[in-house]
């Protein structure tokens, strides 16, 4: 075959792969606009009735705030903790650093069902070791969901901030100290602005981790307090209610917007932290004759 | 008591003694260079003064106040880094204002002080630029303005000019020194470039193995080095090692071995039989065609390297190669040719007699 036809073959293959990957995601969107009362593909008619259902049916109006609160709080908590951990791991030197880094990354590799069962026992039932009690009573509460999701989401800001920190020139922090900035001011004015991209990226990933998490949330959910993904799962097991497709589309839209934001970060930071080459021509008397940028 | 007083400053990394009981004092407004090869401890000394490192022993006092255990951000010392360390996410104005903001000056005072220091480094039109949009020389000047704007007690410069190209470096040397004098701040400058140290400093501290070998004015360290290491650190030199065969009022005769002798005119006291090293700088040696000169030291031109304002000749004489640097100008004739027989001569006093404890081989 000619190189050209090879090229077409590769393109077709890539398209096929993309289609297989995207189909299950994209099929949900048209289904959510159906007019019939059960889920079907292709959808019958066109209507927004299932979207309005989201705002009227208490089944959903109770779940959406829980999901949003949990995801926001998880993103905040995981990002703060992940940033602190990343600072400690990259800046500090102490025995057991490697082991600790491994522990911080563990939520990525530990089977999620193990975490869910563990979360259930610790947060829901509580641990009683002699006189010391820990956890318990957090089943079916938003704080319980936040704590459990923070464990899952923690590695993302930890990784992104660690990576960002390795690119920060330590001399800049010394310079700030030399200019009179205490450690907190140095972090706030110099380090944090330079790792901003890593922090935002980590926060977005942490948010999304909580936003679509089903397994742990279903262990900790109660009939009164539960999240949107858990509710979708429950609904679909009972009926083919198209509301599930509508809310799935909303989740998808939120994720797409956030990832889009992620793609925008480099563009935004280039505006403020740009690199360009400047050429200076110095006259013999020391004045600057021309500066070309 | 001196303005800057460093006593027995010691820093040890594992087995290695990086700084070995360093003593240094500087007067108010003085410009002192720490000169030495990499690994001699000069940068460590600077970082200890700045407070970025903690010494294992010794003390540092500025203006009568002990600062040894003060954290860096409370020392009120300005520092210009080799890489400038300008904050890339801030404009020139924000960079310069940083130190003033930490000291809680009012917005009006900050604005006024920043404008004045931009004036001082002649970067008035550049306040809203980012460091990445500036040339090396401009970045250097922003770093200097940033380090001086909050009126520090001390200015530290860590190889601050080495990133610049030669021409700009020479210009910045003069400019930096002029600004330092205007401001009147005491400065400690770390460099491995002996020309830079000689050009800029009131006094030069030549360092080796964590110690100051000699601390003196530029002309004294250059003209009266205490040993071969110092002589070599401050520029090219021809070293001749031997023992004193005889002496009289005008100098002595050096026995170089292999039956070679050399008469040295000097008032440096030596004893007959003592071994010593004599250093002669290449620019102190004069050349003349052999037949016309009365000199007893003759040799052959082995190589000629034209370097614009000077020419470097390598002369084979006394069974060794002697480097001779002659100035080139319109009035001088440097018509020596390869393999030509030439006579070498130097003024009395040009020969630097060095104590032999640390002679250069």
């Amino acid at each position: 075959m000619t190189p050209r036809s090879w090229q077409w073959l590769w393109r077709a293959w890539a398209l096929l792969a993309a289609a297989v990957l995207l189909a299950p995601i994209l099929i949900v969107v048209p289904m959510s606009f159906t007019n019939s009362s059960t889920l079907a593909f292709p959808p019958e008619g066109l209507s927004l009735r299932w979207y309005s259902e989201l705002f009227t049916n208490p089944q959903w109006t109770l779940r959406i705030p829980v999901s949003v609160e949990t995801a926001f709080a998880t993103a905040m908590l995981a990002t703060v903790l992940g940033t602190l951990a990343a600072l400690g791991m990259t800046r500090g030197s102490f025995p057991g650093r490697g082991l600790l880094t491994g522990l911080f990354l563990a939520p990525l590799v530990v089977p999620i069902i193990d975490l869910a069962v563990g979360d259930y026992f610790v947060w829901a039932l509580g641990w009683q070791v002699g006189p010391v009690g820990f956890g318990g009573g957090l089943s079916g509460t938003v704080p319980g969901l936040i704590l459990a999701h923070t464990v899952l989401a923690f590695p993302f800001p930890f990784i992104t901030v660690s990576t960002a920190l390795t690119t920060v020139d330590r001399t800049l922090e010394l310079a700030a100290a030399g200019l009179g900035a205490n450690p907190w001011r140095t972090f706030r004015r110099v380090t944090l602005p330079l790792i901003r991209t890593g922090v935002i990226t980590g926060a977005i990933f942490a948010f999304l981790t909580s936003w679509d998490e089903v397994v742990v949330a279903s262990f900790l959910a109660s009939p009164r307090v539960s999240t949107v993904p858990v509710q979708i799962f429950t609904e679909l097991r009972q009926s083919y209610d198209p509301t599930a497709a509508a809310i799935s589309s909303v989740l998808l839209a939120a994720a797409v917007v956030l990832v889009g934001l992620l793609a925008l970060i480099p563009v935004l930071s280039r505006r403020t932290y740009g690199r360009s080459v400047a050429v200076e021509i110095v006259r013999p008397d020391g004045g600057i004759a021309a500066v070309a940028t | 008591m001196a303005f800057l007083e460093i006593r027995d400053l010691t820093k040890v990394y594992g087995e290695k003694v990086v700084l070995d009981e360093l003593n240094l004092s500087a007067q108010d407004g003085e410009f002192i260079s720490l000169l030495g090869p990499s690994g001699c401890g000069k940068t460590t000394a600077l970082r200890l003064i700045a407070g970025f490192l903690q010494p294992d022993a010794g003390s540092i006092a500025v203006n009568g106040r002990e600062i040894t255990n003060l954290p860096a951000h409370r020392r009120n010392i300005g520092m210009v880094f080799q890489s400038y360390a300008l904050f890339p996410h801030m404009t020139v104005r924000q960079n310069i204002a940083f130190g003033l903001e930490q000291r809680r000056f009012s917005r009006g005072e900050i604005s006024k002080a920043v404008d004045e220091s931009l004036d001082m480094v002649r970067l008035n039109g550049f306040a809203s630029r980012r460091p990445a949009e500036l040339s090396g020389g401009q970045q250097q000047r922003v770093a200097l303005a940033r380090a001086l704007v909050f009126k520090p007690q001390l200015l530290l410069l860590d190889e601050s000019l080495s990133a610049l190209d030669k021409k700009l470096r020479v210009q910045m040397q003069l400019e930096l020194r002029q600004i330092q004098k205007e401001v009147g701040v005491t400065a400690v400058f770390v460099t491995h470039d002996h020309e830079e140290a000689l050009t800029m400093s009131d006094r030069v501290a030549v360092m080796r193995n964590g110690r100051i070998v000699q601390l003196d004015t530029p002309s004294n360290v250059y003209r009266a080095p205490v040993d071969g290491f110092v002589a070599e650190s401050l520029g090219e030199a021809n070293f001749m090692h031997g023992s004193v065969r005889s002496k009289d009022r005008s100098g002595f005769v050096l026995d170089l071995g292999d039956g070679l002798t050399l008469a040295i005119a000097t008032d440096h006291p030596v004893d007959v039989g003592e071994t010593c090293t004599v250093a002669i700088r290449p620019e102190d040696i004069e050349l003349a065609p052999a037949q016309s000169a009365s000199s007893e030291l003759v040799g052959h031109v082995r190589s000629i390297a034209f370097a614009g304002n000077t020419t470097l000749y390598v002369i084979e004489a006394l069974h060794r190669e002697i480097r001779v640097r002659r100035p080139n100008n319109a009035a001088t004739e440097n018509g020596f040719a390869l393999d030509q027989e030439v006579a070498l001569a130097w003024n009395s006093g040009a020969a630097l007699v060095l104590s032999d404890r640390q002679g250069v081989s």
Side-chain angles (χ1 to χ4, degrees), chain A residues 47-66:
Chain A
S47 101
L48 287 172
R49 57 186 277 209
W50 304 114
Y51 282 90
S52 68
E53 186 84 350
L54 291 179
F55 299 99
T56 49
N57 190 338
Q59 197 170 303
W60 300 109
T61 52
L62 285 175
R63 303 303 182 230
I64 292 170
V66 170

Side-chain angles (χ1 to χ4, degrees), chain B residues 8-30:
Chain B
D8 301 326
L9 201 63
T10 302
K11 181 71 185 172
V12 183
Y13 286 119
E15 298 276 289
K16 186 162 165 49
V17 182
V18 182
L19 219 56
D20 189 5
E21 298 188 351
L22 182 99
N23 285 285
L24 177 70
S25 53
Q27 300 306 314
D28 196 5
E30 200 175 13

Side-chain angles (χ1 to χ4, degrees), chain B residues 155-173:
Chain B
L155 176 65
L156 305 179
L157 303 137
D158 184 11
E159 307 242 5
S160 303
L161 302 173
S162 60
L164 303 175
D165 62 70
K166 173 116 184 171
K167 194 176 160 196
L168 195 55
R169 192 162 71 223
V170 171
Q171 184 203 328
M172 281 304 298
Q173 285 170 4

Side-chain angles (χ1 to χ4, degrees), chain B residues 125-185:
Chain B
F126 295 82
S128 54
R129 298 271 189 111
R130 306 240 170 220
E133 297 167 335
L134 301 178
S135 71
Q138 292 167 337
Q139 290 184 25
Q140 163 77 55
R141 277 183 259 157
V142 175
L144 183 64
R146 187 178 70 171
L148 286 174
V149 70
F150 57 89
K151 308 235 179 313
Q153 308 189 71
L154 206 59
L155 176 65
L156 305 179
L157 303 137
D158 184 11
E159 307 242 5
S160 303
L161 302 173
S162 60
L164 303 175
D165 62 70
K166 173 116 184 171
K167 194 176 160 196
L168 195 55
R169 192 162 71 223
V170 171
Q171 184 203 328
M172 281 304 298
Q173 285 170 4
L174 301 173
E175 199 171 317
L176 180 62
R177 187 64 221 267
Q178 192 195 337
I179 289 171
Q180 182 262 340
K181 274 182 182 157
E182 272 169 31
V183 176
V185 68

Side-chain angles (χ1 to χ4, degrees), chain A residues 169 171-183 185-186 189-191 193-194 271-280 282-288 291 293, chain B residues 47 52 72-73 77-78 81 83 85-90 94-95 98-99 101-104 122-123 126 129-130 132-135 137-138 141 146-147 150 167-168 171:
Chain A
D169 180 3
T171 321
L172 296 176
E173 291 169 355
L174 293 182
L179 292 168
N182 62 35
R185 298 275 300 163
T186 299
R189 292 289 313 276
V190 176
T191 316
L194 294 174
R271 262 174 55 84
T272 55
Y273 178 9
R275 264 189 196 286
S276 61
V277 183
V279 182
E280 180 190 80
V282 181
R283 291 201 309 257
D285 63 2
I288 295 148
V291 176
T293 303
Chain B
R47 294 193 162 224
F52 301 147
H73 67 271
I77 290 175
F81 293 84
S83 58
L86 297 177
F87 305 127
H89 56 296
M90 297 184 195
Q94 288 167 332
N95 262 283
F98 190 88
E101 282 165 11
Q102 305 313 314
R103 285 162 180 80
R104 314 226 172 270
R122 296 186 289 111
L123 282 175
F126 295 82
R129 298 271 189 111
R130 306 240 170 220
E133 297 167 335
L134 301 178
S135 71
Q138 292 167 337
R141 277 183 259 157
R146 187 178 70 171
F150 57 89
K167 194 176 160 196
L168 195 55
Q171 184 203 328

Side-chain angles (χ1 to χ4, degrees), chain B residues 206-314:
Chain B
V206 184
M207 289 184 66
R208 180 183 51 190
N209 296 338
R211 283 176 169 275
I212 293 178
V213 187
Q214 188 174 11
L215 172 61
D216 214 328
T217 61
S219 64
N220 279 353
V221 285
Y222 190 75
R223 278 290 152 213
V226 291
D227 63 17
F229 174 79
V230 175
E232 184 123 75
S233 295
L234 291 158
E236 298 171 293
N238 297 292
F239 292 98
M240 277 166 276
H241 182 73
S243 60
V244 177
R245 172 178 285 191
S246 63
K247 62 171 185 174
D248 58 26
R249 269 191 307 131
S250 66
F252 60 91
V253 173
L254 189 66
D255 186 344
L256 298 168
D258 298 335
L260 296 168
T261 58
L262 185 63
I264 306 291
T266 180
D267 50 12
H268 191 94
V270 289
D271 295 320
V272 173
E274 179 189 358
T275 60
C276 66
T277 299
V278 171
I280 303 167
R281 301 228 177 259
E283 71 271 20
D284 285 333
I285 304 175
E286 279 164 29
L287 291 181
Q291 51 273 45
S292 73
S294 56
S295 170
E296 54 201 67
L297 180 57
V298 290
H300 290 89
V301 178
R302 284 296 171 238
S303 78
I304 302 171
F306 180 75
N309 56 343
T310 62
T311 300
L312 180 69
Y313 296 93
V314 176

Side-chain angles (χ1 to χ4, degrees), chain A:
Chain A
M1 274 203 274
T2 63
R4 209 178 155 71
S5 42
W6 270 113
Q7 209 176 32
W8 281 110
L9 204 69
W10 280 119
R11 278 185 195 169
W13 173 246
L15 264 172
L16 186 68
V20 168
L21 289 172
L22 285 174
I25 301 171
L26 293 180
I27 201 169
V28 174
V29 180
M31 284 203 301
S32 70
F33 291 104
T34 186
N35 199 15
S36 71
S37 53
T38 53
L39 273 178
F41 194 83
E44 297 161 21
L46 184 70
S47 101
L48 287 172
R49 57 186 277 209
W50 304 114
Y51 282 90
S52 68
E53 186 84 350
L54 291 179
F55 299 99
T56 49
N57 190 338
Q59 197 170 303
W60 300 109
T61 52
L62 285 175
R63 303 303 182 230
I64 292 170
V66 170
S67 261
V68 172
E69 274 171 42
T70 306
F72 265 110
T74 298
M76 293 279 286
L77 198 57
T79 305
V80 170
L81 293 175
T83 303
L84 290 175
L87 275 169
M89 293 300 113
T90 42
R91 294 292 190 253
S93 62
F94 49 87
R97 211 163 55 119
L99 191 71
L100 210 52
T101 304
L103 272 176
F104 285 151
L105 297 174
L108 289 178
V109 285
V110 172
I112 194 157
I113 190 70
D114 289 358
L115 269 172
V117 172
D119 282 340
Y120 181 70
F121 274 96
V122 178
W123 302 136
L125 302 180
W127 250 358
Q128 198 72 34
V129 185
V132 184
F134 180 74
L138 288 167
S139 176
T141 64
V142 173
L145 285 168
I146 293 169
L147 286 174
H149 277 177
T150 300
V151 173
L152 284 178
F154 175 84
F156 296 104
F158 176 68
I159 292 169
T160 56
V161 174
S162 297
T163 311
L165 277 172
T166 56
T167 65
V168 175
D169 180 3
R170 292 289 318 265
T171 321
L172 296 176
E173 291 169 355
L174 293 182
L179 292 168
N182 62 35
W184 164 247
R185 298 275 300 163
T186 299
F187 176 74
R188 183 67 197 75
R189 292 289 313 276
V190 176
T191 316
L192 188 57
L194 294 174
I195 60 170
R196 200 184 49 179
T197 306
V199 173
I200 296 173
T201 310
I204 289 175
F205 276 116
F207 184 92
L208 291 175
T209 302
S210 166
W211 186 239
D212 68 355
E213 204 283 323
V214 173
V215 181
V216 171
S218 58
F219 271 72
L220 292 174
S222 70
R224 291 180 52 83
V225 175
S226 181
T227 65
V228 171
V230 173
Q231 187 67 31
I232 295 173
F233 187 62
T234 317
E235 289 295 314
L236 283 179
R237 270 190 312 182
Q238 288 162 4
S239 65
Y240 283 140
D241 181 356
T243 330
I247 186 71
S248 299
S249 303
V250 172
L251 292 185
L252 179 64
V256 167
V257 166
L258 281 176
V259 174
L261 218 60
L262 215 61
L264 271 179
I265 292 175
V267 182
L268 293 175
S269 9
R270 197 168 305 137
R271 262 174 55 84
T272 55
Y273 178 9
R275 264 189 196 286
S276 61
V277 183
V279 182
E280 180 190 80
I281 298 161
V282 181
R283 291 201 309 257
D285 63 2
I288 295 148
V291 176
T293 303

